[in-house]
Structures are given as structure tokens and as C-alpha cells.
Amino acid sequence: MAGNDTLFGKIIRREIPASIVYEDDEVLGFLDTAPQAPVHVLFIPKHEAIPTLDDLQPEQAQLVGRLVLAAAAHARAQGLAEDGYRVVINCRADAGQTVFHLHLHLLAGAALGRFGTPE
Ligand code: 5GP
């Protein structure tokens, strides 16, 4: 995954630390440093540097499935699935995307507020 110069690329390459809680052949999961819920984990593709969801190509579609499945597996393993959880992908400015390496947020651990309210 050479050439990815984002913060998350550095985490993949272990150049900066992260609290890694999930890893498989395609996906890395680590704790968000500014959690928006009691459980807030970020899931990223390890081998492809895709800046935003809008850049995803049809032949890369399985990657999003892998991110979702990783989040679901982690939630199940942590005993969070029964109470429930939310997964979110922010795309660009209006969604508040700040790191341009495709990632999925898993939010859980409490009843979550509604979402999508314009500021
Ligand atoms: P976005 O806003 O792009 O959808 O999500 C990026 C997320 O990365 C944010 O929730 C933010 O808190 C998180 N984040 C920013 N810097 C770091 C960092 O250095 N380490 C970790 N683990 N998360 C970070």
C-alpha cells in the first residue's frame, strides 16, 4: 500500500501508534482518539488508499463489504450486537470527513442520538 501519506497510512505502517482492536487480511480496526460514543472504532482497508467513498470504483466494492463485515464481527465479539450499533462513512466536507483514507466508524455502547441534523 505504498504511497498513502495520510495519518491512517502511517497507522497501517505502524509509523504512529494506535490502539488496534481488530485485524484481518484486508482490514485494520483501531480506537478513535476522539470517541463520539462509548465504543468508537475506525475500520480501514489495509492495502488500498481510496480517499473518499466517492472515489470507490466498482471493482473495489467488496472492500466496503469487508469494512462492514469487520465492524459487525467486532461488535459481535465484544457483545455489542444485541443492543445494537451504528456504522458511518463520512464523505467530504459536509459530512465532516477529516482523514482522506476511506474508513468506516463503528459507534456503540449506549443509545445513540439521531443523526444528520444540519448545523
Ligand atoms: P472522519 O471525520 O474523517 O470521518 O474521521 C476521522 C476520525 O479520525 C475522527 O473521528 C478522528 O477523531 C480520528 N482521528 C484523528 N486523528 C487520529 C489519530 O491520530 N488516531 C486515531 N486513532 N484517530 C484519529
Side-chain angles (χ1 to χ4, degrees):
M1 213 218 38
N4 184 343
D5 204 21
T6 68
L7 177 64
F8 292 171
K10 291 181 172 65
I11 288 175
I12 290 167
R13 297 193 299 272
R14 310 303 203 258
E15 292 170 7
I16 61 172
S19 299
I20 294 170
V21 296
Y22 178 92
E23 184 161 18
D24 65 31
D25 58 329
E26 293 267 358
V27 177
L28 190 68
F30 50 92
L31 301 183
D32 195 298
T33 48
Q36 303 298 307
V39 176
H40 188 169
V41 183
L42 301 170
F43 293 88
I44 63 175
K46 295 198 295 188
H47 307 300
E48 306 224 30
I50 302 164
T52 79
L53 188 62
D54 189 51
D55 299 300
L56 189 76
Q57 300 303 306
E59 62 272 18
Q60 298 169 314
Q62 61 89 21
L63 263 184
V64 174
R66 292 294 298 260
L67 295 179
V68 173
L69 285 173
H74 181 70
R76 208 177 302 120
Q78 296 300 308
L80 299 162
E82 191 170 336
D83 284 345
Y85 53 85
R86 179 174 294 153
V87 295
V88 173
I89 296 176
N90 292 321
C91 182
R92 297 193 177 136
D94 276 3
Q97 184 178 2
T98 57
V99 180
F100 290 86
H101 179 124
L102 180 67
H103 55 279
L104 178 147
H105 298 254
L106 169 67
L107 301 157
L112 303 168
R114 297 305 295 171
F115 55 91
T117 310
E119 289 183 345

